[in-house]
Amino acid sequence: MPLLLNIETLANGPVQLKGELSPEELGMETLDELVEADEPLDYDLTVERAGDNILLQGQITMRLQCECARCLRAFEHRVELQGWSCLLPLNGDEKIELINNSGDLTPYLREDTFLAFPQHPLCEPGCDGSPKLAWGESKPLKITEASGKTNEASVWSKLDNLNL
Ligand SMILES: [Zn+2]
């Protein structure tokens, strides 16, 4: 089901819209091969008439399967638009297209969600690109080695201070 709104239902006040749009309904094509949008988009919106406009307010969330641009590790990224709002004019050049008083809200949700996609997905801020699974075990060893030397040095300097 695309997200259709019959504007006549707004005559009695705000309407709650809550549900999800499947990837097929969204027809979302990501240009970046590191980002996959194959899970539904969740919406929880309040819709009301505001003069000659329709006002959408609420939140949109969507989970994306990403691949880190630096280390290629797969991870999940959550797009969360809290306090999202959108004003749809009923008149003028930018007006929402209505068929039998119903308009499809899907493109408006799709556009802003798409704009919130990560442009350069990273598994964590400041990922240095080293393959973590292969090298993770050797790193602590180096640190131990280095700190061992430091201890040794401080032991010698303590001995020096004793003035034996
Ligand atoms: Zn990474």
Side-chain angles (χ1 to χ4, degrees):
M1 280 280 294
L3 182 49
L4 288 177
L5 171 77
N6 185 331
I7 61 162
E8 288 186 337
T9 61
L10 301 178
N12 301 320
V15 171
Q16 296 288 331
L17 292 177
K18 195 174 158 74
E20 60 179 41
L21 290 166
S22 71
E24 293 76 33
E25 286 156 356
L26 284 168
M28 191 99 77
E29 274 188 39
T30 65
L31 302 172
D32 192 337
E33 61 181 14
L34 297 175
V35 178
E36 238 180 85
D38 54 7
E39 295 193 43
L41 175 154
D42 282 303
Y43 58 86
D44 188 352
L45 305 171
T46 304
V47 187
E48 60 188 310
R49 185 79 183 252
D52 283 340
N53 304 289
I54 295 171
L55 177 62
L56 310 179
Q57 282 178 299
Q59 69 172 38
I60 297 172
T61 51
M62 188 172 184
R63 283 191 311 192
L64 304 173
Q65 301 303 323
C66 296
E67 221 174 89
C68 178
R70 292 199 188 139
C71 72
L72 300 182
R73 192 163 68 149
F75 68 102
E76 191 179 281
H77 178 87
R78 203 173 153 87
V79 172
E80 259 181 83
L81 303 177
Q82 306 274 2
W84 178 76
S85 66
C86 182
L87 201 60
L88 311 177
L90 291 167
N91 299 306
D93 292 340
E94 302 283 302
K95 72 176 178 185
I96 179 172
E97 189 184 338
L98 297 178
I99 298 165
N100 297 327
N101 286 324
S102 289
D104 185 0
L105 304 182
T106 310
Y108 303 98
L109 272 66
R110 175 173 53 211
E111 192 181 334
D112 281 0
T113 306
F114 187 66
L115 289 175
F117 278 19
Q119 296 298 310
H120 189 67
L122 292 180
C123 61
E124 58 188 60
C127 168
D128 61 8
S130 57
K132 293 186 175 49
L133 293 176
W135 292 97
E137 288 176 7
S138 67
K139 272 185 181 173
L141 279 179
K142 278 183 188 168
I143 293 165
T144 316
E145 221 171 47
S147 62
K149 270 178 192 165
T150 315
N151 288 340
E152 205 179 334
S154 64
V155 167
W156 282 114
S157 65
K158 273 179 192 164
L159 287 174
D160 281 346
N161 290 339
L162 288 174
N163 286 324
L164 290 172

